[in-house]
Amino acid sequence: MEWKSGRNLREAFISFFEERGHKHYKSFPLVPDDPTVLFTIAGMVPFKPYFLGAREPEVKRAVTAQKCLRTNDIDNVGRTGRHHTFFEMLGNFSFGDYFKEQAIPWGWEFLTRVVGLEADRMYATIYRDDDEAFEIWHKVVGLSKERIVRLGEDDNFWAVGPVGPCGPCSELIYDQGPEFSCGSPSCGVGCSCDRYLEVWNLVFMQYDRDTEGVLRPLPKKNIDTGMGLERLCSVVQRAKNDFGTDLFRPIVERVCALAGVRYGSDGRQDMAVRVISDHIRAMAFLVADRVLPSNEGRGYVLRRIIRRSIRYGRLIGLERPFLTELLPVVIDLMADPYEELVEGRSTIEQVLELEERRFARTLEQGTELLEAEIASRLSRKETILPGDVAFVLYDTYGFPLELTEEICKERGLSVDREGFAREMERQRELARAAGRRPSSLKEDVYLELYGELGDTPFEGYVLSEAEASVLALVKGGARAKTAGPGEEVEVFLSSTPFYAQKGGQVGDKGWIEADGTRLRVDDVKYAEGGLVSHLCTVEEGRISAGMKVRAIVDEERRWAIRRHHTATHLLHEAAVRVLGPHVRQAGSLVTPEYLRLDLSHFAPISNDEMKKIEEIVNAEIQANVPLQVLLSSLEDAKALGAKALFEEKYGEEVRVVRVPGFCAELCGGTHVDATGDIGLFKIVREEGIGADARRITAVAGMPAFNCLRQAYEELRGAAERLGADMFAVCDQVGSLQDEIKSLRRALEEAKLQALAARIDDILSKREEIGGVSVVTAAFDGADVGLLRELGDRVKSRQPRSLVVLASRDGERAQLVIMADEAAVKVGVHAGKLAKEVASLAGGGGGGKAQMAQVGGIDPSKVEEALNGVPDILRRMLSS
Ligand code: SER
């Protein structure tokens, strides 16, 4: 039946529950807003806070078709037609509203009445002592007692993880018929073969399991149901498995077409086709949800999926990059309803292409190494691949450990995981040792001070000058009462307008003054926690604990910092707009002279992209938008679309710096009042740092003006020297370069002509040895190319010849030795001759029978070398 396509089933499910008062939420991202889970593994993950009662839901009933990703069973993906990394879960949810009495009959109604599955092929499983569920199945739905099967905790108790919401569940089972059975006499409901398929899981979410494993009742009873769309399709469409449904067929076909294989003709090939068909969806959706390949966390999972696919691709003859060629089918199939695939298309393409290229470089060598290791272990009847080998494969060849394990498993070997972990740890130790600073005794002083004084209140958002008391002094790492002229001292104040270095923004400079006393503030840092230390040099008078002082920030410098800081925010936003939503700040440095912004991005930023970014930033500056700074909850900040750079916690009050209509970011730094204060912005440099990060260095305000002026002056100077118009310098330089090139060519030609004029002279001095004409000559200042050219001409004029030409060039001399084919036939070997000449005259030489060189000869030895040639040749011919 045509209407039962994947898309129609998805829509039918949503409508069914919408008609029953459920709010439809679009799929949440694969990356949950929840640090305790790596990916959205089920439809309920985005709703966890509602189940736990941590947040009030907006509605009590919800329905979703949720993108999910699971990798716990990735080895089985492809091996079977039922396992997936990425899949879609259809689910209806009740947050303390209806419970079993409603969830069960609705589940039944949807499958039998809407989808049309035959009631006499259906079974239900329930948790062993869930009599309530039994009654509903039997009495309300009317399922006969034999069709209700009680199973234990493994099958019918569902939990999101070891800790968190959970509860007993009931599953709807569909009997696909005996032809799907594994044939075991005990095959029945609960068997893991394909006959009795679990289609839908209804979880009666009523407990919260704590870290001790204790089940505590949740404030309210909830419903969480989950039905894999791929599986539902395969049942409805009577497909052999999920890969035979309309959700996968076009992908499977494309993979086969690229590889030139036929699906269904070879078990091993089929597995590879399934691996790739499954993984390509996962990759596309992960990158669309802003995951980039890396060596840890989510990025590592993505990398594993990509690399596993590439390896399986090789097994079916996909030698050339193929991942991006599969993308169009995936996008066609899924763009409705998943628009993110369309929006992210070019990012996905670029990321996959780059990652595929990266791995392709090392895959072959790594495979060779691994195959050799496996063969040598097997020949010694060993069954374990040592951890250090797996580590080399990981570290040098980019083989995810799990991939190495999978390949080993196919050959009956296991990998020493502990050994691998030890190697990894050793490597980390080395890295740490290389970067470790000696711990200083000083730190105790700060801890003690922090205990006494606590955080230093910061007044610098509004003031650049303020009164304060000196609470403590530290000199040379120890507490001090006073400091005098010329001394360096750390000053701790009751409050301060000085910004201490944080969040990439450097500390302020300025002065601390009292009558007759003046200190220069060289830097400001957090000594411990929020305790601010002013690193000062006493210029005049004395400073003592207890004094009242005036703290004065160098305002001009501060302004330059403010301009650079706001410019950093504008740059960040512009980069996201131009490069794509995957771009994230990975670090920053804000100084009065320049700013530096590190961004996660997979490819060099092109000149065009850079220009667009600069234009956006400068347009925003010219719009002179007043900044807004507000304090809000993290939730509100996120709702505003504020970029959060660090892991802030829920409930925390955060400071949001906003350029209304353009960007918002959580930030504690100091900023301009309106974007126009920045004046001007210019990127000066773009470079790669590490595999997936770019660093942009830029200038704002006067430094930007100075940079542009310097470039302008440079250009003007160049134009003056060229006698050209300033804006035609490039053309002018281009024609000069062309001119130089042709002059060089003419010069070479002239040199050759000069040498060629001597050919007759050289030939007249030839010597006949054993039927070979030997020609030797020395020149000054000719390079090897020229000597060869000359040698060729001599050879063409004198058959059966050996030509030895030397060139002296200041302190070095070299020889070119050439023999024609006829000479080689009678026993001349230029390479051997070169060696002998070298041993006679010093230097090193060698080459082939027809052509050799000797270099590094002392110019004074050239005559001797050339004179030695006849004797060497005689010996050579007679032997
Ligand atoms: N959370 C349950 C599952 O994943 C039902 O949605 O099976």
Side-chain angles (χ1 to χ4, degrees):
M1 270 178 271
E2 208 17 68
W3 76 268
K4 286 168 181 173
S5 65
R7 180 175 306 159
N8 287 341
L9 287 169
R10 193 191 288 124
E11 282 167 7
F13 182 87
I14 291 166
S15 313
F16 180 85
F17 284 101
E18 274 182 333
E19 283 156 19
R20 284 156 185 76
H22 292 64
K23 174 173 165 124
H24 171 221
Y25 287 92
K26 272 180 46 174
S27 175
F28 296 86
L30 280 175
V31 176
D33 192 5
D34 176 348
T36 65
V37 276
L38 218 47
F39 294 109
T40 303
I41 57 149
M44 55 76 66
V45 168
F47 299 123
K48 236 169 81 183
Y50 303 156
F51 291 126
L52 292 170
R55 243 186 294 161
E56 261 315 295
E58 186 191 21
V59 290
K60 287 190 174 322
R61 298 177 180 191
V63 59
T64 57
Q66 174 64 44
K67 300 181 283 186
C68 296
L69 190 97
R70 292 186 186 177
T71 51
N72 50 341
D73 226 0
I74 190 169
D75 276 5
N76 272 326
V77 175
R79 242 169 259 287
T80 77
R82 300 270 174 222
H83 285 83
H84 299 289
T85 50
F86 173 88
F87 64 99
E88 289 174 86
M89 188 180 273
L90 305 174
N92 56 296
F93 306 92
S94 152
F95 312 121
D97 190 36
Y98 63 85
F99 201 46
K100 299 178 200 182
E101 75 296 340
Q102 198 67 87
I104 291 176
W106 277 343
W108 179 260
E109 186 186 349
F110 179 74
L111 283 189
T112 56
R113 195 178 58 72
V114 179
V115 175
L117 296 187
E118 311 88 315
D120 59 1
R121 284 185 173 231
M122 305 280 291
Y123 293 81
T125 64
I126 56 171
Y127 186 52
R128 57 181 173 231
D129 49 13
D130 191 352
D131 297 331
E132 229 179 339
F134 184 91
E135 293 297 306
I136 300 169
W137 277 117
H138 185 49
K139 301 231 167 88
V140 182
V141 172
L143 204 61
S144 67
K145 287 186 183 169
E146 321 77 68
R147 288 182 172 264
I148 307 170
V149 182
R150 293 180 190 257
L151 293 174
E153 183 144 349
D154 283 350
D155 290 290
N156 281 70
F157 193 93
W158 197 88
V160 63
V163 186
C166 54
C169 61
S170 175
E171 288 188 311
L172 284 98
I173 310 288
Y174 180 77
D175 176 5
Q176 297 216 91
E179 66 275 26
F180 283 86
S181 171
C182 56
S184 147
S186 61
C187 182
V189 172
C191 180
S192 62
C193 78
D194 273 1
R195 175 162 182 186
Y196 297 97
L197 272 192
E198 294 146 13
V199 177
W200 197 346
N201 187 15
L202 316 178
V203 183
F204 313 127
M205 193 75 87
Q206 60 192 95
Y207 303 109
D208 180 13
R209 188 154 43 198
D210 68 15
T211 44
E212 312 279 291
V214 180
L215 295 179
R216 295 179 197 289
L218 287 170
K220 286 175 188 152
K221 290 181 177 171
N222 311 288
I223 290 294
D224 151 35
T225 87
M227 171 156 59
L229 175 65
E230 295 77 5
R231 178 168 293 193
L232 177 65
C233 278
S234 89
V235 169
V236 174
Q237 297 172 8
R238 302 237 177 271
K240 192 159 156 232
N241 59 42
D242 300 354
F243 292 90
T245 66
D246 71 321
L247 290 173
F248 277 107
R249 261 195 332 265
I251 307 178
V252 167
E253 280 160 15
R254 183 87 184 108
V255 174
C256 287
L258 285 179
V261 299
R262 208 161 51 78
Y263 188 63
S265 58
D266 174 300
R268 244 175 96 80
Q269 278 181 2
D270 291 353
M271 167 169 175
V273 172
R274 285 191 296 265
V275 167
I276 298 167
S277 304
D278 171 274
H279 288 9
I280 188 72
R281 300 202 313 165
M283 294 170 214
F285 277 98
L286 279 169
V287 180
D289 280 346
R290 303 175 186 188
V291 178
L292 292 177
S294 78
N295 273 341
E296 53 196 19
R298 298 181 175 117
Y300 183 57
V301 172
L302 172 59
R303 177 158 281 171
R304 268 171 60 194
I305 291 176
I306 297 178
R307 298 191 169 188
R308 187 170 186 257
S309 314
I310 298 172
R311 191 228 157 203
Y312 274 95
R314 292 293 186 277
L315 295 184
I316 51 170
L318 289 169
E319 301 286 344
R320 289 221 315 271
F322 62 95
L323 295 178
T324 51
E325 304 202 32
L326 295 173
L327 272 182
V329 226
V330 176
I331 297 177
D332 271 2
L333 279 172
M334 305 292 269
D336 174 18
Y338 301 110
E339 294 150 3
E340 60 271 32
L341 290 182
V342 181
E343 283 157 20
R345 182 179 208 127
S346 89
T347 306
I348 303 171
E349 257 167 26
Q350 291 178 61
V351 169
L352 295 191
E353 197 191 310
L354 199 74
E355 182 69 6
E356 186 160 22
R357 248 195 288 143
R358 248 181 220 159
F359 188 47
R361 275 206 291 271
T362 53
L363 172 66
E364 234 157 274
Q365 291 158 291
T367 307
E368 256 170 48
L369 172 76
L370 180 55
E371 287 300 333
E373 286 286 343
I374 291 177
S376 101
R377 307 285 143 191
L378 289 177
S379 73
R380 278 179 274 152
K381 306 242 176 317
E382 291 173 9
T383 56
I384 295 176
L385 186 85
D388 55 351
V389 176
F391 186 76
V392 170
L393 281 164
Y394 167 85
D395 200 42
T396 311
Y397 299 100
F399 277 50
L401 174 63
E402 296 74 6
L403 184 61
T404 305
E405 279 185 325
E406 192 175 346
I407 300 172
C408 284
K409 206 164 122 194
E410 288 164 7
R411 313 286 296 277
L413 259 67
S414 62
V415 176
D416 174 14
R417 265 195 169 240
E418 276 170 32
F420 177 88
R422 268 198 307 277
E423 276 302 309
M424 182 81 112
E425 190 45 38
R426 210 170 61 91
Q427 170 111 336
R428 288 207 179 116
E429 281 295 327
L430 287 174
R432 266 199 292 271
R436 191 183 295 145
R437 283 172 298 146
S439 73
S440 103
L441 285 172
K442 279 185 180 176
E443 276 149 25
D444 293 343
V445 181
Y446 301 126
L447 263 180
E448 181 189 300
L449 267 175
Y450 185 51
E452 275 170 42
L453 310 177
D455 296 346
T456 312
F458 177 57
E459 299 174 307
Y461 288 135
V462 273
L463 301 175
S464 59
E465 211 180 306
E467 305 285 327
S469 314
V470 177
L471 299 183
L473 298 174
V474 168
K475 233 170 30 181
R479 300 279 288 259
K481 293 223 148 45
T482 171
E487 284 190 301
E488 285 181 1
V489 61
E490 286 179 66
V491 180
F492 296 84
L493 298 176
S494 53
S495 62
T496 183
F498 281 88
Y499 185 87
Q501 183 190 328
K502 195 181 181 185
Q505 178 176 332
V506 296
D508 280 326
K509 293 187 181 187
W511 301 271
I512 291 178
E513 292 179 359
D515 284 346
T517 298
R518 184 177 156 97
L519 282 74
R520 195 180 67 231
V521 180
D522 299 315
D523 200 1
V524 182
K525 291 192 162 139
Y526 286 101
E528 188 66 50
L531 177 69
V532 174
S533 157
H534 304 76
L535 285 85
C536 305
T537 309
V538 183
E539 289 185 337
E540 259 176 62
R542 296 195 75 79
I543 181 116
S544 311
M547 262 168 78
K548 292 255 177 288
V549 292
R550 230 174 8 264
I552 307 158
V553 175
D554 177 342
E555 224 189 331
E556 202 175 312
R557 184 173 175 279
R558 161 74 80 81
W559 259 103
I561 294 172
R562 292 167 72 172
R563 286 189 192 96
H564 281 106
H565 202 150
T566 310
T568 307
H569 286 210
L570 299 182
L571 169 60
H572 187 184
E573 175 65 24
V576 170
R577 291 187 183 190
V578 172
L579 303 174
H582 60 279
V583 168
R584 288 271 182 289
Q585 175 166 338
S588 71
L589 178 66
V590 176
T591 80
E593 294 87 19
Y594 66 96
L595 68 88
R596 220 169 60 193
L597 179 64
D598 296 344
L599 297 169
S600 59
H601 183 56
F602 41 79
I605 303 173
S606 71
N607 204 30
D608 275 350
E609 289 170 329
M610 211 98 79
K611 285 201 308 218
K612 269 189 216 144
I613 293 174
E614 282 179 342
E615 270 163 31
I616 295 176
V617 173
N618 280 298
E620 204 52 32
I621 291 171
Q622 283 166 35
N624 197 20
V625 183
L627 265 72
Q628 280 180 0
V629 175
L630 33 124
L631 297 175
S632 83
S633 69
L634 183 60
E635 290 84 344
D636 290 346
K638 285 200 171 161
L640 261 178
K643 300 190 195 81
L645 307 180
F646 307 103
E647 290 295 322
E648 273 86 7
K649 290 178 207 76
Y650 273 105
E652 232 171 25
E653 191 181 61
V654 292
R655 182 172 186 263
V656 183
V657 175
R658 231 184 132 205
V659 178
F662 188 69
C663 68
E665 219 168 277
L666 302 196
C667 179
T670 59
H671 286 269
V672 295
D673 300 327
T675 54
D677 294 331
I678 299 170
L680 185 62
F681 171 84
K682 178 83 188 91
I683 294 177
V684 291
R685 202 169 138 90
E686 190 271 345
E687 66 205 303
I689 45 164
D692 285 312
R694 310 301 304 178
R695 168 167 290 175
I696 295 179
T697 306
V699 282
M702 278 318 268
F705 170 74
N706 289 334
C707 160
L708 289 174
R709 181 167 61 186
Q710 197 188 341
Y712 186 93
E713 285 302 314
E714 200 64 32
L715 191 62
R716 207 179 50 75
E720 217 168 80
R721 291 173 74 165
L722 289 169
D725 183 78
M726 248 182 81
F727 298 99
V729 164
C730 274
D731 285 347
Q732 185 74 11
V733 168
S735 40
L736 280 179
Q737 281 171 330
D738 291 345
E739 200 177 323
I740 291 171
K741 236 189 261 163
S742 70
L743 286 175
R744 278 215 181 105
R745 263 200 303 271
L747 182 61
E748 294 294 310
E749 191 49 37
K751 276 190 189 169
L752 193 63
Q753 294 299 340
L755 292 179
R758 289 182 53 197
I759 289 185
D760 288 337
D761 179 36
I762 295 168
L763 280 174
S764 70
K765 288 184 197 136
R766 70 177 182 269
E767 207 174 325
E768 295 289 334
I769 296 170
V772 177
S773 309
V774 182
V775 175
T776 61
F779 306 92
D780 288 320
D783 64 15
V784 173
L786 220 52
L787 291 186
R788 281 192 189 186
E789 182 77 41
L790 194 63
D792 280 338
R793 294 189 185 196
V794 173
K795 265 186 346 187
S796 68
R797 298 252 317 257
Q798 183 65 50
R800 205 191 282 170
S801 60
L802 170 68
V803 187
V804 184
L805 302 177
S807 156
R808 280 176 294 239
D809 190 3
E811 309 206 324
R812 291 172 313 131
Q814 50 198 359
L815 252 58
V816 168
I817 304 176
M818 296 164 85
D820 67 1
E821 216 165 299
V824 171
K825 268 205 190 115
V826 300
V828 179
H829 193 289
K832 288 182 189 156
L833 207 116
K835 284 212 181 95
E836 293 211 33
V837 173
S839 71
L840 187 77
K848 302 221 168 78
Q850 296 198 10
M851 170 78 205
Q853 256 171 258
V854 186
I857 308 173
D858 189 323
S860 66
K861 293 267 175 76
V862 165
E863 286 305 324
E864 197 180 331
L866 293 181
N867 291 339
V869 170
D871 273 350
I872 299 172
L873 182 66
R874 261 180 220 113
R875 260 183 280 126
M876 185 176 270
L877 291 178
S878 64
S879 68

